[in-house]
Amino acid sequence: MESKIDGLKIIHKKQIVDERGKIMHMLKATDEEFIQFGEIYFSTAWPGVVKAWHVHTQMTVNNFVIKGHAKLVIADIRQNSATYGAVQEIFLGDDNRVLVQIPPLVANGYKAYGDQECILANCATIPHEPNEMLRIDPVKNDIDYDWGVQNG
């Protein structure tokens, strides 16, 4: 999958699978996309729950779904960006093991889907600072996106 947003990276990650289970690679200090380590945390959501919109002013976000499924949505709200106004959906999880690296000042959020809890990991480049993140209402905003299921 190609990125539609300047600075957004989508990296397919290796899995090692055998009869015992699997190892899923997320991010290593030797990976080309590694910037620096700030913290790692896990966000969970039940099917149908939307956690959005988040805008980090300094942090680069590295999202990877450990369990379940998430529709990760990224919106470029940077007025000076060549891709200003672009919105991209990326489906992560059991069917698509990718790391999504989101640069600062880009709005993002996710919706869990399927029949189980979603566990999303974020390996952030800086430790969490409450004043570093801006929150935008998931529905009442200027972002041209509908979180509903797109039947078509």
Side-chain angles (χ1 to χ4, degrees), residues 51-56 61 63 72-75 102 106-110:
K51 291 190 170 184
W53 293 97
H54 310 112
V55 181
H56 291 280
V61 172
N63 284 165
L72 180 65
V73 184
I74 301 97
I102 305 167
V106 173
N108 63 91
Y110 75 96

Side-chain angles (χ1 to χ4, degrees), residues 15-102:
Q15 294 185 85
I16 302 168
V17 180
D18 66 22
E19 63 193 45
R20 301 167 297 164
K22 61 185 166 185
I23 294 172
M24 298 181 291
H25 290 270
M26 179 178 171
L27 188 62
K28 297 184 287 189
T30 55
D31 287 344
E32 181 180 319
E33 62 274 9
F34 179 78
I35 299 170
Q36 70 183 37
F37 179 76
E39 73 174 2
I40 188 164
Y41 66 85
F42 305 94
S43 172
T44 72
W46 296 109
V49 170
V50 173
K51 291 190 170 184
W53 293 97
H54 310 112
V55 181
H56 291 280
T57 60
Q58 300 168 29
M59 177 189 296
T60 295
V61 172
N62 291 285
N63 284 165
F64 184 84
V65 170
I66 297 170
K67 176 185 173 198
H69 300 88
K71 175 174 64 171
L72 180 65
V73 184
I74 301 97
D76 192 349
I77 61 170
R78 301 168 295 178
Q79 292 184 350
N80 61 344
S81 171
T83 56
Y84 174 70
V87 175
Q88 185 166 0
E89 293 180 332
I90 304 168
F91 293 87
L92 308 175
D94 296 340
D95 301 328
N96 189 29
R97 294 287 177 211
V98 295
L99 173 76
V100 179
Q101 188 174 78
I102 305 167

